[in-house]
Amino acid sequence: MTPSARPTPVYLDCDTGVDDALALALLLASPEADLVGVGTVSGNTGAEQAAANTLALLALAGRAGVPVAVGAGNASVPVPHIHGANGLGDVLLPASGESPAAESAAELLIGLSHTHAGRLHVVAVGPLTNLATALELDGTLPERVASVTVMGGAARSPGNITAVAEANIGNDPEAARRVFAAPWDITLVPLDVTLVNRLTEDDRRRLEESGRPVARTLGLILNRYFDFYVSVYGLRCAALHDPLAAALAIGCVEPLLAPRVSVTIDDTHGPGRGQTICDLRGQWRDYPEQPGVRSRVVLSTTQPLAPILMERLLAL
Amino acid sequence: MTPSARPTPVYLDCDTGVDDALALALLLASPEADLVGVGTVSGNTGAEQAAANTLALLALAGRAGVPVAVGAGNASVPVPHIHGANGLGDVLLPASGESPAAESAAELLIGLSHTHAGRLHVVAVGPLTNLATALELDGTLPERVASVTVMGGAARSPGNITAVAEANIGNDPEAARRVFAAPWDITLVPLDVTLVNRLTEDDRRRLEESGRPVARTLGLILNRYFDFYVSVYGLRCAALHDPLAAALAIGCVEPLLAPRVSVTIDDTHGPGRGQTICDLRGQWRDYPEQPGVRSRVVLSTTQPLAPILMERLLAL
């Protein structure tokens, strides 16, 4: 970002959630971003709990004024073994004095799309229920949104809730199908790239031992999440799913290989339910253009996220 | 193979087809294999045409005695732009004096499983229609089959008839589902590994310029196939799908990474139809055992096929 550039207005849709907390903190810590609103959705935890968590984190960061709206429930089942019973690794945060907005997350998003028409970046790091609802309420929404960045799905990588489905997409494939069918530019940040961007135990300890309240809290919150990842990687660490999507959306990490290819969501009730079917058949020919396609899939980045994330979180 | 080892009795199920012809020739040229029968199935071309092609190739190789049985049709549509109108790149071979066996391919397979009980290796390089029919006719078949090697599907790789489906599986997903559910050891040889094993134009010319009838014919047959692959790779060459499966089955090429993981066939009518869903979620932990699973998926090999294939085809 050049010093004179205006920060990008960002609407964050999340199910806070340990890695959602990292994404939220990164957005708050980044000069490229102006976080103008947060909507919550059921996923890692329930939508109401996610809103309470988000409000508590915003208060801790001294940013209590950012509006937070509770969004929709869906068929997702909370995962206390990953994110804790409260979504934040069972770390108790001081409750925020603020309440969620009276409007729904979908209504907040539509409102922000008018306030920041043509400039609003949507960063969606939970199930796509709220975005699908917003599209249903107002089909003109895509005309006012500059870009949508979605953490979700898997292109070549296996899934994480089934062999092919990733949790955000798999928890509401019908919503995802509608979001990917809408006429806006979507950047998909799938497991292929989030699973190779990790925080180490050393990173976590540096956060926990920080004198600053947000960094220290994130270090504590990550503890249980690190336990869970032993079952994935065989060692304590954390995949940086949601913060990577936030980083790509605001440009503090850049895509290296991110072909513009069609993405079809499997919303059958068969074994492929929840898969993001990315058409990578052009792989041997540098991905020739697929006419009419507005989705791109990030398969690699120019630099790892962890160093940038750590620097910014420790300074927050 | 140690010199004293008896060659492996092999039943080849194929839809001959250009690369099927390479697989057939490799089996005929390999001391590790004793080709005891061939069944044909609709796929690259119709089942009857595939049988005529197989008989013609066997006669050319001086092996007219190998029984060839016509198998089942299915929903597959011939692909003359890849394999030519006759399945062999429109090269006309002298017709064989032999006729196909009176029995069906499924019946031939069952018969051979008795003759070579416990030793028969099945190499299936077309749609799995005949294998599914044989399982329906005789549920005890798997007890007498030593191994099944299937060219088909895609694990991390894109498909070739849809973004996720490979032609052999995609042309009869219901049959594939039944074959993968049967109690036998299956080695899946997917596009992941066949697309990186290729024959070059220089290889093809060496075959065409050979003084030996089979090698010369294969070089001619490959001409149109090479044209097709320009649309895949951007240059004239050929993926060695079927011969790689044959080579792995008889051990003249060995798997390097071939985890034993569950394989689920998507036989819905959704966008994932025909996908081989391979559960690779154990990728970060050296693929821990999945209890009860008898399928393995070849993701890499210890050596490339082309040099071995060329050496053997030129000597046939």
Side-chain angles (χ1 to χ4, degrees):
Chain A
M1 194 181 72
T2 54
S4 62
R6 284 160 69 194
T8 300
V10 172
Y11 165 84
L12 175 67
D13 200 274
C14 56
D15 50 341
T16 321
V18 175
D19 59 324
D20 307 69
L22 294 175
L24 179 69
L26 177 62
L27 290 172
L28 294 175
S30 294
E32 301 91 338
D34 175 19
L35 185 65
V36 293
V38 180
T40 65
V41 61
S42 297
N44 297 330
T45 191
E48 287 80 10
Q49 180 71 51
N53 293 345
T54 306
L55 286 167
L57 288 161
L58 286 169
L60 201 65
R63 294 287 299 275
V66 176
V68 176
V70 179
N74 52 43
S76 66
V77 178
V79 280
H81 62 294
I82 306 175
H83 292 273
N86 73 346
L88 293 180
D90 292 332
V91 173
L92 293 179
L93 269 62
S96 161
E98 306 288 323
S99 298
E103 61 195 341
S104 72
E107 289 164 344
L108 174 62
L109 167 55
I110 292 169
L112 291 169
S113 77
H114 285 284
T115 313
H116 306 279
R119 298 192 63 237
L120 186 67
H121 281 54
V122 174
V123 180
V125 298
L128 296 176
T129 319
N130 292 334
L131 272 62
T133 304
L135 288 168
E136 228 166 275
L137 289 174
D138 182 355
T140 68
L141 173 64
E143 299 168 14
R144 295 184 304 278
V145 167
S147 78
V148 180
T149 304
V150 173
M151 189 279 128
R156 295 170 170 283
S157 167
N160 59 6
I161 60 168
T162 75
V164 289
E166 176 278 337
N168 286 345
I169 307 299
N171 277 329
D172 196 344
E174 287 76 11
R177 186 177 49 72
R178 280 178 278 157
V179 169
F180 275 85
W184 48 18
D185 292 330
I186 302 190
T187 297
L188 183 67
V189 183
L191 292 178
D192 306 64
V193 70
T194 66
L195 282 171
V196 295
N197 275 279
R198 305 181 207 166
L199 226 49
T200 65
E201 178 62 18
D202 183 56
D203 294 329
R204 194 196 66 75
R205 260 199 229 104
R206 281 171 62 212
L207 290 170
E208 191 179 330
E209 288 161 9
S210 156
R212 294 173 179 265
V214 176
R216 179 172 149 67
T217 301
L218 292 171
L220 292 168
I221 285 172
L222 281 163
N223 208 22
R224 174 187 291 259
Y225 199 64
F226 269 57
D227 287 342
F228 164 73
Y229 272 103
V230 174
S231 71
V232 176
Y233 294 114
L235 79 165
R236 277 175 60 81
C237 65
L240 295 173
H241 304 299
D242 294 353
L244 186 63
L248 284 158
I250 63 174
C252 69
V253 165
E254 303 211 11
L256 178 61
L257 180 61
R260 201 166 284 278
V261 296
S262 90
V263 177
T264 306
I265 309 299
D266 188 331
D267 63 350
T268 67
H269 288 267
R273 180 171 174 78
Q275 184 176 10
T276 49
I277 297 179
C278 305
D279 190 348
L280 302 178
R281 282 178 287 177
Q283 63 180 338
W284 306 104
R285 291 186 299 133
D286 201 17
Y287 300 99
E289 196 193 337
Q290 298 177 13
V293 166
R294 298 185 64 173
S295 45
R296 62 177 185 162
V297 178
V298 181
L299 297 174
S300 64
T301 61
T302 54
Q303 73 265 57
L305 170 61
I308 300 157
L309 180 67
M310 284 298 294
E311 185 190 326
R312 295 195 177 189
L313 295 185
L314 287 168
L316 183 62
Chain B
M1 193 180 73
T2 55
S4 64
R6 284 162 68 196
T8 300
V10 172
Y11 165 83
L12 176 67
D13 200 274
C14 56
D15 51 339
T16 321
V18 175
D19 58 326
D20 306 69
L22 294 175
L24 179 70
L26 176 62
L27 290 172
L28 295 174
S30 293
E32 302 92 337
D34 175 18
L35 185 66
V36 293
V38 180
T40 64
V41 60
S42 298
N44 297 330
T45 189
E48 288 79 9
Q49 180 70 50
N53 292 346
T54 306
L55 287 167
L57 288 161
L58 286 168
L60 201 64
R63 294 288 297 277
V66 177
V68 176
V70 179
N74 51 41
S76 65
V77 179
V79 279
H81 62 294
I82 306 176
H83 293 273
N86 73 345
L88 293 180
D90 292 332
V91 173
L92 293 179
L93 269 63
S96 160
E98 304 289 321
S99 297
E103 60 196 340
S104 72
E107 290 165 342
L108 174 63
L109 167 56
I110 291 169
L112 292 169
S113 76
H114 286 285
T115 313
H116 306 279
R119 298 190 62 238
L120 186 67
H121 281 53
V122 174
V123 180
V125 298
L128 296 176
T129 319
N130 292 333
L131 272 62
T133 303
L135 287 168
E136 228 167 275
L137 289 174
D138 182 354
T140 69
L141 173 64
E143 299 167 15
R144 297 183 302 279
V145 167
S147 78
V148 181
T149 303
V150 173
M151 188 281 129
R156 295 172 170 283
S157 167
N160 59 7
I161 60 168
T162 74
V164 289
E166 175 279 336
N168 286 346
I169 307 298
N171 276 331
D172 196 343
E174 287 77 11
R177 186 177 48 73
R178 281 178 277 158
V179 169
F180 275 85
W184 48 18
D185 293 329
I186 302 189
T187 297
L188 183 66
V189 183
L191 292 179
D192 306 64
V193 70
T194 66
L195 282 172
V196 295
N197 276 279
R198 305 181 206 166
L199 225 51
T200 64
E201 176 64 17
D202 183 57
D203 294 327
R204 194 196 67 74
R205 262 199 229 105
R206 280 170 62 211
L207 291 170
E208 190 178 332
E209 287 160 10
S210 156
R212 293 172 180 267
V214 176
R216 179 173 149 67
T217 301
L218 291 172
L220 292 168
I221 285 173
L222 280 164
N223 209 20
R224 174 186 291 258
Y225 200 62
F226 270 55
D227 287 341
F228 165 73
Y229 272 104
V230 174
S231 71
V232 176
Y233 295 114
L235 78 166
R236 275 175 61 83
C237 65
L240 295 172
H241 304 299
D242 293 353
L244 185 64
L248 284 158
I250 63 175
C252 69
V253 166
E254 303 213 9
L256 177 61
L257 179 61
R260 201 166 284 278
V261 295
S262 90
V263 177
T264 306
I265 309 298
D266 188 331
D267 63 351
T268 67
H269 289 267
R273 181 172 173 79
Q275 184 176 10
T276 50
I277 295 179
C278 305
D279 190 348
L280 301 178
R281 281 178 288 176
Q283 64 179 337
W284 306 104
R285 291 185 300 134
D286 202 19
Y287 300 98
E289 196 194 338
Q290 299 177 12
V293 165
R294 298 183 66 172
S295 45
R296 62 176 184 162
V297 178
V298 181
L299 297 175
S300 64
T301 62
T302 55
Q303 73 266 56
L305 170 60
I308 300 158
L309 180 68
M310 284 299 294
E311 185 190 326
R312 295 194 178 189
L313 295 185
L314 287 169
L316 183 63

